[in-house]
Amino acid sequence: MGEITNFRGETIPASARSAPDHAVEELIARVGDRVRKARERKGIPRRVLSDMSGVSPRYLAQLESGAGNISIALLQRVADALDHRIEWLVAEEDPWNSEAAHIAQIFRTASREQRKQVLDILAPEPASALRAGRICLIGLRGSGKSTLGARAGEILGLPFVELNREIEEQAGMAVNEVMALYGQEGYRKLEAQALSRVIATHDSLMLAVAGGIVAEPDTFNLLLGRFHTVWLKAAPAEHMARVRAQGDTRPMAGNDDAMAQLNAILASREALYQRAEAQVNTSGKTVDEALAALLSVIAERGFLSR
């Protein structure tokens, strides 16, 4: 490898460095290659990834080419923006060619009946028994999880729980403060702990979770195994409009690429959201219409049947 660039964008000539360390150079090249592949697979332009991660387009280009000696802090930002764990980017085993990844890909593209058969074989108890009367709403922010979850829970006689509120109770601070203090990795650990606690204390409930929970494989698999899941989906423009109507202007404030980012996030998570047992499209529906559709799905699928 020739010249390398540090995280400040400064070029470090070979003469100013110590003897070549092939292991380090291979690691840098491997990380760059995986960042590029992950970005391309998700259809995220480099400029959009730059906005999402706070890492400059120039440096991302250097990183992807294997010429950027990225710091752990910046790599974590890139991993978060790509909805990947940082270990996934640096592991020696190719995540796309591993047996586990191959099996996971087959499972994701299998039919609902095929996935049920696999789970019936692997699970120590029938899936219906493990899920009990728990229902979880997943989807992007602005999909209606809180509004519909609360109203459906009231009608069905189920307690309604928002996982972020459980995290805040556990941490003793607001979620944004958790993120600022502990970072994405710390938040994900608290999220997993909160989910386990909810499972242990509720046999029946209506749960709403943050949209990014699907990006943490272990936590999402636990969720799928212990809850009947419903993906609340909507058109990206409706997601954005609903969030703004709630008084949250952050998605658009000073960011001309906000809609492109939203589309990229949705594209990167769509295959994961599709693993839910059921879907309810809330686009163009009033709250009452969307609620009726959700209740209909719950009844038709027998989510509360024992």
Side-chain angles (χ1 to χ4, degrees), residues 5-281:
T5 306
N6 64 20
F7 71 93
R8 297 186 184 88
E10 301 165 342
T11 299
I12 303 175
S15 59
R17 290 183 276 130
S18 57
D21 186 335
H22 296 296
V24 172
E25 292 179 352
E26 289 176 1
L27 173 62
I28 293 172
R30 183 166 67 243
V31 169
D33 181 62
R34 289 183 184 169
V35 167
R36 177 181 56 78
K37 286 181 178 178
R39 180 179 60 76
E40 292 175 349
R41 281 170 181 261
K42 294 175 181 291
I44 303 175
R46 188 179 292 142
R47 181 167 55 85
V48 173
L49 179 59
S50 171
D51 290 338
M52 295 169 69
S53 64
V55 178
S56 74
R58 176 174 175 269
Y59 188 66
L60 283 174
Q62 293 172 337
L63 170 64
E64 292 183 2
S65 69
N69 189 8
I70 194 167
S71 71
I72 292 296
L74 292 186
L75 184 59
Q76 182 67 65
R77 290 190 201 170
V78 174
D80 290 344
L82 290 170
D83 268 345
H84 282 304
R85 299 177 68 169
I86 192 170
E87 309 96 278
W88 185 90
L89 296 176
V90 301
E92 290 188 13
E93 183 181 21
D94 188 337
W96 284 295
N97 293 329
S98 68
E99 183 178 18
H102 180 59
I103 293 173
Q105 179 61 31
I106 294 174
F107 187 84
R108 280 195 295 269
T109 57
S111 67
R112 182 175 289 107
E113 182 58 32
Q114 288 172 326
R115 293 200 299 268
K116 181 179 181 301
Q117 291 174 3
V118 171
L119 291 174
D120 286 343
I121 293 172
L122 297 178
E125 298 180 62
S128 58
L130 291 173
R131 291 168 182 153
R134 305 184 196 95
I135 299 171
C136 180
L137 306 180
I138 66 173
L140 289 179
R141 187 170 51 152
S143 61
K145 293 173 295 186
S146 297
T147 300
L148 297 180
R151 291 189 58 179
E154 183 178 3
I155 292 171
L156 297 172
L158 298 174
F160 173 63
V161 175
E162 290 189 87
L163 196 61
N164 269 351
R165 302 292 82 77
E166 292 289 310
I167 294 171
E168 290 178 340
E169 182 178 334
Q170 179 180 349
M173 64 184 75
V175 165
N176 60 349
E177 295 175 342
V178 171
M179 294 291 290
L181 187 60
Y182 299 110
Q184 185 79 4
E185 191 70 17
Y187 169 81
R188 292 299 178 206
K189 289 180 180 178
L190 290 172
E191 182 179 58
Q193 293 169 8
L195 182 65
S196 296
R197 188 169 63 253
V198 166
I199 293 169
T201 55
H202 293 82
D203 287 332
S204 300
L205 83 157
M206 180 73 63
L207 180 70
V209 296
I213 197 171
V214 298
E216 188 64 28
D218 291 342
T219 306
F220 189 39
N221 286 333
L222 176 63
L223 178 68
L224 291 171
R226 297 304 181 94
F227 289 82
H228 297 289
T229 47
V230 182
W231 173 23
L232 298 184
K233 57 186 298 186
E238 287 201 49
H239 278 292
M240 188 69 72
R242 291 170 184 173
V243 172
R244 296 185 67 191
Q246 294 167 4
D248 188 350
T249 59
R250 289 175 298 168
M252 298 296 288
N255 189 351
D256 295 334
D257 293 320
M259 187 56 68
Q261 291 183 19
L262 180 61
N263 281 312
I265 292 172
L266 181 58
S268 70
R269 295 178 181 170
E270 187 167 12
L272 297 171
Y273 287 145
Q274 286 176 345
R275 294 178 63 190
E277 289 180 77
Q279 300 179 14
V280 171
N281 192 330

